[in-house]
């Protein structure tokens, strides 16, 4: 059933799901329950690992198709391909500036508090585990330019099988440009992409119902395996990282939002479901689809969202940037390696390259850190063992800041491109109920991703809507 773009044809439902039926509430319950099980019954908590990993795997299964279809659909529908290229350049420029500021934030924080002083660790006597050795070896072999040569996949299906987002983005851009260049003959393909996108997001909505179960399993395993003692042993470093990250979000990203005439705290409230999902699973990937759909709903053009968000997941990692600079300087201080300001800035320059070289790679944070230390040669790479045990408790914060940074980056690039409806974004972030953006149809915009939003009433069939309304309130599914 079609929709009209007029807000007069929409009537918000007066019945809203009670708080105890909202997804975010049950994710919170699951996280608390997971912490309790892992703390009180560690062995049982460790046994919950398959529950968390299965949910994350199921979400990752859809990341490749969603990124591919969204980018292809966006580029294929653009009239001017030059605009796509300019959007990419603007996004990469913003990513680089944001990464530099994030790294400088970490450097300043660890130079002020100097938590590594007094540790007096002997790098030669540090015993490395098999897991750490694999990261060290990968980091020592990693070259900064490999992310360029790695962009081209060996096969068309390989990136989807391996979950390599960078290669998926490369394929999507090529296919999107080709479909656009062919012209009218590609209309059936363009239509098929739109329909398949709707189906994939419907599958996503089914999997998202299991988010509380996934968050419970992941949190129970983390607490059960690593224990509270690991958390408290280097609690000051963890606290500094969280405090620095919070400061970066509020001051730096908050300033960007203020420039856009938007409120950072209201935006965080709008993405509460995604943020809680990241907190429970320690990874930002499951929240990528929700970020893309909600940004579209908030007034960002679909083409900008489709290009900036997936690219940002590999190149705009603010949380990882703060972690890299802070961790590297902590290791230097702990091993009594004195670095001048010039050497620290050189360290930052190397990190800008090595962090890109590890983009999209499992354990990329440690690989980038080791690659940086190995390239410089002044800080012993074996020093990563000093922070290896607490990395799990820092991963949540890294993923949260990465997610928030990509949301702000997309809004900024959209504004730069004149493709952001600021008034709509402000109203949506404030919790106001609005119809889907003009030009979206119900098949294009899955209302189930935003369960609290209104259901459409078309001028020709309000009576039918009244008959269907109870069903939509219970399942929040789109009218077909």
């Amino acid at each position: 059933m079609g929709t009209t773009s007029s807000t007069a044809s929409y009537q918000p439902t007066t019945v809203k799901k009670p708080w105890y039926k909202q997804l975010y509430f049950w994710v919170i319950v699951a996280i608390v329950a997971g912490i309790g099980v892992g703390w009180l019954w560690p062995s049982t908590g460790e046994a919950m690992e398959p529950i968390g990993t299965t949910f994350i795997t199921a979400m990752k299964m859809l990341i490749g198709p969603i990124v591919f279809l969204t980018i292809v659909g966006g580029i294929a529908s653009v009239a001017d391909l030059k605009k796509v290229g300019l959007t990419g350049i603007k996004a990469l420029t913003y990513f680089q500036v944001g990464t530099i500021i994030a790294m400088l934030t970490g450097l300043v924080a660890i130079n002020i508090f100097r938590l590594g002083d007094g540790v007096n660790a002997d790098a030669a006597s540090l015993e490395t585990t098999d897991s750490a050795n694999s990261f060290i070896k990968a980091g020592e072999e990693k070259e900064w330019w490999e992310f360029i040569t790695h962009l081209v996949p060996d096969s068309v299906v390989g990136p989807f099988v391996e979950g390599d987002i960078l290669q998926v983005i490369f394929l999507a851009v090529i296919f999107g440009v080709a479909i656009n260049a062919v012209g009218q003959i590609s209309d059936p393909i363009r239509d098929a992409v739109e329909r398949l996108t709707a189906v994939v997001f419907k599958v996503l909505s089914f999997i998202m119902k299991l988010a509380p179960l996934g968050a419970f399993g992941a949190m129970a395993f983390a607490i059960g395996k690593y224990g509270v003692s690991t958390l408290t042993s280097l609690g000051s470093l963890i606290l500094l990282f969280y405090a620095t990250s919070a400061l970066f979000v509020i001051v730096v990203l908050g300033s960007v939002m203020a420039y856009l005439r938007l409120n950072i705290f209201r935006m965080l409230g709008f993405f509460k479901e995604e943020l809680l999902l990241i907190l429970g699973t320690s990874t930002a990937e499951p929240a990528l689809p929700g970020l893309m759909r909600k940004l579209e709903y908030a007034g960002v053009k679909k083409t900008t969202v489709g290009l900036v968000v997936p690219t940002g997941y590999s190149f705009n990692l603010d949380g990882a940037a703060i972690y890299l600079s802070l961790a590297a300087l902590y290791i230097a201080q702990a091993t009594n390696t004195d670095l001048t300001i010039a050497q620290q800035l050189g360290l930052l320059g190397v990190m800008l390259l090595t962090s890109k070289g590890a983009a999209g790679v499992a354990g990329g944070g440690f690989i980038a850190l080791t690659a940086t230390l190995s390239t410089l040669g002044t800080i012993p790479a074996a020093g990563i063992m000093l922070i290896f045990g607490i990395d799990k408790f820092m991963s949540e914060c890294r993923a949260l800041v990465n997610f928030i940074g990509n949301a702000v980056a997309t809004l900024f690039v959209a504004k730069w491109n004149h493709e952001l409806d600021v008034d709509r974004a402000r109203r949506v972030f404030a919790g106001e109920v609005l119809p889907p953006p003009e030009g979206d149809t119900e098949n294009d915009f899955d209302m189930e991703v935003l369960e609290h939003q209104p259901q459409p009433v078309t001028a020709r069939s309000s009576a039918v809507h009244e008959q269907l309304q109870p069903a939509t309130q219970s399942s929040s599914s789109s009218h077909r």
Side-chain angles (χ1 to χ4, degrees):
M1 189 166 80
T3 63
T4 64
S5 60
S6 171
T7 57
S9 64
Y10 279 77
Q11 297 176 0
T13 55
T14 56
V15 179
K16 183 179 178 180
K17 277 190 176 182
W19 58 269
Y20 56 85
K21 288 186 178 180
Q22 297 283 355
L23 179 64
Y24 72 86
F25 168 75
W26 288 106
V27 171
I28 293 175
V29 171
I31 291 173
V32 173
I35 292 173
V37 170
W39 182 26
L40 299 175
W41 303 283
S43 59
T44 303
E46 283 193 63
M48 297 295 106
E49 181 184 16
I51 299 176
T53 54
T54 301
F55 171 76
I56 295 173
T57 302
M59 291 295 297
K60 287 184 176 180
M61 169 186 70
L62 297 177
I63 299 299
I66 286 174
V67 169
F68 180 81
L69 292 170
T70 305
I71 294 178
V72 169
I75 295 178
S77 62
V78 172
D80 185 7
L81 284 177
K82 187 183 296 184
K83 192 172 185 179
V84 175
L86 289 174
T87 299
I89 293 173
K90 290 175 181 178
L92 291 174
T93 301
Y94 177 93
F95 295 162
Q96 198 71 353
V97 172
T99 300
I100 291 173
I101 295 174
M103 287 184 174
L104 285 173
T105 304
L107 284 179
V108 171
I110 195 64
N111 272 294
I112 291 175
F113 292 96
R114 301 193 63 85
L115 299 180
D117 288 350
V119 175
N120 300 320
D122 182 7
S125 63
L126 288 174
E127 295 183 6
T128 57
T129 63
D130 292 338
S131 299
N133 280 329
S134 64
F135 289 130
I136 292 174
K137 183 178 179 181
E140 290 174 342
E141 296 174 352
K142 181 68 63 177
E143 300 291 345
W144 68 267
W145 44 261
E146 284 186 21
F147 83 95
I148 299 176
T149 58
H150 181 70
L151 280 174
V152 183
D154 295 330
S155 67
V156 174
V157 298
F160 298 94
V161 174
E162 299 170 6
D164 194 316
I165 298 300
L166 284 176
Q167 292 184 348
V168 170
I169 293 172
F170 176 82
L171 286 176
V173 170
I174 297 298
F175 273 80
V177 170
I179 292 174
N180 190 299
V182 169
Q184 283 189 331
I185 195 174
S186 65
D187 285 349
I189 299 177
R190 189 180 295 110
D191 183 61
V193 168
E194 293 179 359
R195 293 174 182 272
L196 188 56
T197 301
V199 173
V200 171
F201 271 99
K202 180 57 67 175
V203 175
L204 169 69
S205 70
F206 296 153
I207 297 176
M208 279 300 295
K209 295 182 186 300
L210 300 175
L213 197 60
F216 167 78
M219 188 59 70
F221 167 74
I223 300 298
K225 180 176 178 62
Y226 299 101
V228 179
S229 59
T230 305
L231 180 63
T232 56
S233 62
L234 288 172
S236 57
L237 181 59
I238 297 173
L239 182 61
L240 178 62
F241 177 55
Y242 273 74
T244 304
S245 299
L247 187 68
F248 177 82
V249 169
I250 295 171
V251 176
V252 178
L253 298 183
S255 297
V256 176
M257 290 291 285
Y259 168 77
L260 300 176
R261 294 184 291 119
L262 297 171
N263 187 294
I264 183 73
F265 297 105
R266 287 185 173 179
M267 187 200 76
L268 296 178
F270 179 65
F271 288 113
K272 60 180 178 294
E273 288 89 352
E274 287 73 23
L275 294 173
L276 286 169
L277 181 62
I278 293 170
L279 182 64
T281 59
S282 300
T283 176
E285 287 183 330
L288 184 147
L291 173 63
M292 296 174 72
R293 299 308 262 181
K294 283 192 172 184
L295 283 172
E296 287 178 36
Y297 176 77
V300 182
K301 288 291 185 182
K302 188 174 183 178
T303 51
T304 302
V305 172
L307 189 61
V308 177
V309 173
T311 308
Y313 259 61
S314 293
F315 291 100
N316 186 43
L317 307 176
D318 293 334
I322 296 172
Y323 167 80
L324 282 175
S325 57
L326 192 148
L329 260 293
Y330 174 82
I331 293 172
Q333 293 169 4
T335 55
N336 297 319
T337 305
D338 294 326
L339 297 178
T340 64
I341 297 298
Q343 287 176 315
Q344 291 184 30
L345 293 178
L347 177 71
L348 187 148
V350 173
M351 283 180 180
L352 287 174
L353 299 175
T354 54
S355 60
K356 301 298 184 293
V361 180
F366 262 115
I367 292 175
L369 178 59
T370 308
T372 302
L373 302 184
S374 301
T375 301
L376 284 175
T378 54
I379 306 173
I384 69 168
M385 284 306 300
L386 296 172
I387 60 172
F388 191 75
I390 62 169
D391 182 70
K392 174 62 183 174
F393 297 101
M394 302 171 86
S395 61
E396 285 93 347
C397 187
R398 282 201 304 265
L400 287 169
V401 178
N402 290 344
F403 177 90
I404 298 168
N406 279 312
V408 174
T410 307
L411 292 167
F412 181 86
V413 174
K415 174 70 173 178
W416 193 355
N417 257 357
H418 306 290
E419 293 182 341
L420 171 64
D421 186 339
V422 177
D423 180 65
R424 180 185 177 89
R426 187 182 299 112
R427 294 166 65 187
V428 167
F429 292 164
E432 188 172 340
V433 171
L434 297 175
E438 185 175 356
D440 271 332
T441 66
E442 290 173 275
N443 286 332
D444 290 334
F445 191 84
D446 187 355
M447 298 299 286
E448 192 159 355
V449 178
L450 296 164
E451 295 180 343
H452 61 283
Q453 300 304 332
Q455 299 299 322
V457 182
T458 60
R460 72 176 181 86
S461 186
S462 61
V464 173
H465 169 76
E466 290 176 0
Q467 295 174 0
L468 294 176
Q469 195 172 33
T472 58
Q473 291 170 3
S474 61
S475 64
S476 301
S477 60
S478 300
H479 300 313
R480 299 282 178 187

